[in-house]
Amino acid sequence: MEEMKMNVRPTGNRGNWAKKAPAVAELGKKPPQALDLEEAVLGALMLEKDALTTVIDILRPTSFYKEAHQRIFKAILALFDKSEPIDILTVTHELRENGELELAGGAYYVTQLTTRVNSAANIEYHARIITENSIKRDLISISSEVLSSAFEDTTDVFELLDKTEAKLYEVSESNIRKNFDDMRSLMHQAIKELEEKRKQTDGLTGVPSGMTALDRVTSGWQKSDLIILAARPAMGKTAFVLSCLRNAAVDFKKGVAIFSLEMSSLQLVNRLISSEAELDSEKIKKGSLEDYEWAQLNHKISKLTEAPIFIDDTPGLSIRELRTKCRRLKAQYDIQMIIIDYLQLMSGNAEGKGGGNREQEIASISRAMKMLAKELNVPVIALSQLSRAVETRGGDKRPQLSDLRESGSIEQDADMVLFLYRPEYYGITEDEMGNPTAGVGEVIIAKHRNGSLENVQLKFIGKYTKFTNLDSDFGGDGGFNALPNSSFDAETPGAIRLGSRMNDGSQGGGGFPASGFDDEPPF
């Protein structure tokens, strides 16, 4: 008998604590509860029509301990959603229509709730106490599950840590809501940010990409923005974000986290080594380096070794795991930018099985990424594939917003949508102005919520798998250290921008420099 008592623990989903009470009672303790306050709050909601607006952001049906109270509160919310009056008669009628009147205690019990309180004067204070008890019950449930799992020999301890952290975060997110801000405090914050931006003589207000022409348009990757970088396979998406990552981490000392679902951590590091030391990526892959190349490698990668770069190559990463890991990295290392390579390889939940079709799952992932960017106040760059419609289209095969694969919600959620385009990939050797396209990559800004739409020309060095400024006169390393302290002006050499043709379909705007490009390293 004693052994049976020791194995009793609360189980089940949150909100079913009325059923768990006997098991907990056997241990000599009751779950945290405030039944008198629950009755008072429900009574107040049926007495005053505006009372619900005071507590609707604080309470949820599962906040109530008693199951009958949960059903009554659900009926009140249903009436509120239908813009119908809330009183004893309407709540009773709603419960009767749903077949839950007897489960809620009957008409007499609902009527008696209004006698527990005279007004809704203290309803917010009472509601917060109810919520606090609900949080305590959730924590007890989580702790019980952790305790039970921790005693099992088959438990994966790291998986248990992730699940526990995810559940704790879920409790925090569902109960702690951000309130509105008044205009005075917002204005003070806006003026303070403007003063800080004024001190930035280089014009960068976000995380720099290190690509001068691109930073002129964006002023750096902005906080809380979701940036989608899309292209067809083999266009150089990973090479581009690795170049941006390297510039931000090495030149500007910004902590950057990259989640690679396609390539392993070592493959990414090898790419970084190739671009940093300017050694042929094929030689890096095969390890066939000459003695002088080893010396060059050791000399060049010292800065890269100390850079605040964090790489996670977990395959099939779920959005919940991503959020948990990013929050941890932000708290421990104060990361300033997050990169996901790439969006379509993610899953919508921890089990890796999306609810509904794939389009809905991608939509939920993109929304979650935008929420993550806002929560951590950092830019999130997510790589995305384009549909095959690009390949079947005639002409220069420039990508369009309609080519975003699997979900139109990606376009809606993103603050910026960038397309990476290299004409030489399609065998186009000259642009419409007759300029050579060899070694030229184009970043097409197709959507920019807080700025202009433009096309930015960059230099792509294939054997080093990196993008640099179009003109290599900025520095001996091909533009990686370009202008960290100089201002952006209209005459910046090597920065060529074209008016975007994404919206109006025009064919004009700008041109390439007259000189050609080769694959020689810009020493």
Side-chain angles (χ1 to χ4, degrees), residues 398-402 411 417 419 444-449 451-455 498-508:
R398 288 176 179 270
Q400 303 171 1
L401 285 173
S402 58
E411 175 188 344
V417 177
F419 293 129
I444 303 170
I445 304 178
K447 177 184 178 181
H448 194 185
R449 187 165 284 163
S452 60
L453 306 180
E454 303 192 28
N455 294 2
L498 300 180
S500 176
R501 293 176 289 183
M502 296 303 299
N503 292 345
D504 57 14
S506 64
Q507 297 296 319

Side-chain angles (χ1 to χ4, degrees), residues 486-499:
S486 58
S487 60
F488 298 119
D489 56 73
E491 302 301 325
T492 303
I496 296 180
R497 300 187 297 169
L498 300 180

Side-chain angles (χ1 to χ4, degrees), residues 2 20 22 34 42 57 106 131 194 333 391 393 399 414 476 489 518:
E2 187 65 23
K20 303 172 190 174
L42 293 173
D57 289 334
T131 299
L194 283 174
Y333 303 106
E391 310 293 341
R393 196 161 47 235
D489 56 73
D518 53 42

